[in-house]
Amino acid sequence: MKIQGAKKVHYDSGPNMTPLVDVVMVILIFLMLAGSFGGVSHFLLSKQGIRAKGGVAREAKPDDALDTPIDIYVDNMKDVDGYVVRVTGMDQMTNADDLRKALVTKRDQFLLNGTPPDKIQVILHPRVDTRYRYLIAVYQAANQAQIEKIAFAVSQ
């Protein structure tokens, strides 16, 4: 009796890659779900103290000045090509030059009260439908008012 199995051609297809692909897909899905998809526009202040360079927490001192925000809300004008700017504590403005003068006045008030110039921050709050050219005009007015920190908030 002859054994036929030894002479038969044996096809070697290599290692089975299915388990490897399954593991890689599970890791990929986990990383996609665990990751963050958006950035934060501001940091939340905490009363736990300020972290020093070495990572050790220390108590906040009264001379650790926080940034003083100036909120500017930018919106399109209805039925007219232009924009409306609302600065916290001021009247509405529709002109970049008026906004620059108002920001210079507000900056000078903060400086007279003892706020350092690097602690004054303008936060621009555009609406979702605000045109970029209006936002750029407001940004340039804040730059011309010599404000060092200008931030953008999430559109509403």
Side-chain angles (χ1 to χ4, degrees):
M1 181 160 131
K2 233 174 169 179
I3 301 177
Q4 292 288 339
K7 292 183 180 178
K8 211 176 209 186
V9 176
H10 183 66
Y11 181 73
D12 187 17
S13 63
N16 188 3
M17 298 298 287
T18 306
L20 176 69
V21 172
D22 289 343
V23 169
V24 168
M25 287 297 160
V26 168
I27 292 172
L28 180 66
I29 291 170
F30 172 76
L31 290 175
M32 286 173 47
L33 294 176
S36 65
F37 293 106
V40 178
S41 62
H42 301 291
F43 293 104
L44 296 175
L45 298 178
S46 143
K47 298 193 187 268
Q48 294 178 350
I50 298 172
R51 294 217 176 255
K53 229 178 191 178
V56 180
R58 65 176 173 84
E59 288 298 320
K61 296 178 183 173
D63 57 335
D64 289 339
L66 299 175
D67 288 349
T68 305
I70 302 172
D71 293 313
I72 300 177
Y73 297 90
V74 185
D75 195 5
N76 294 331
M77 290 179 85
K78 296 191 187 316
D79 303 327
V80 180
D81 189 26
Y83 60 94
V84 176
V85 176
R86 293 183 312 275
V87 181
T88 307
M90 299 182 129
D91 294 333
Q92 290 185 355
M93 290 168 262
T94 58
N95 187 337
D97 194 45
D98 293 341
L99 176 62
R100 183 189 55 78
K101 290 175 186 174
L103 288 175
V104 167
T105 303
K106 207 139 174 81
R107 180 182 55 90
D108 291 343
Q109 288 173 353
F110 284 129
L111 292 176
L112 287 175
N113 290 335
T115 304
D118 62 330
K119 295 296 181 182
I120 301 171
Q121 179 180 19
V122 166
I123 302 172
L124 301 178
H125 298 270
R127 290 182 49 93
V128 174
D129 60 344
T130 301
R131 296 184 180 160
Y132 288 122
R133 63 181 174 179
Y134 303 146
L135 195 58
I136 291 171
V138 172
Y139 178 81
Q140 288 175 341
N143 269 337
Q144 291 170 354
Q146 299 177 349
I147 295 177
E148 298 176 11
K149 292 183 177 181
I150 303 172
F152 292 89
V154 178
S155 298
Q156 297 178 11

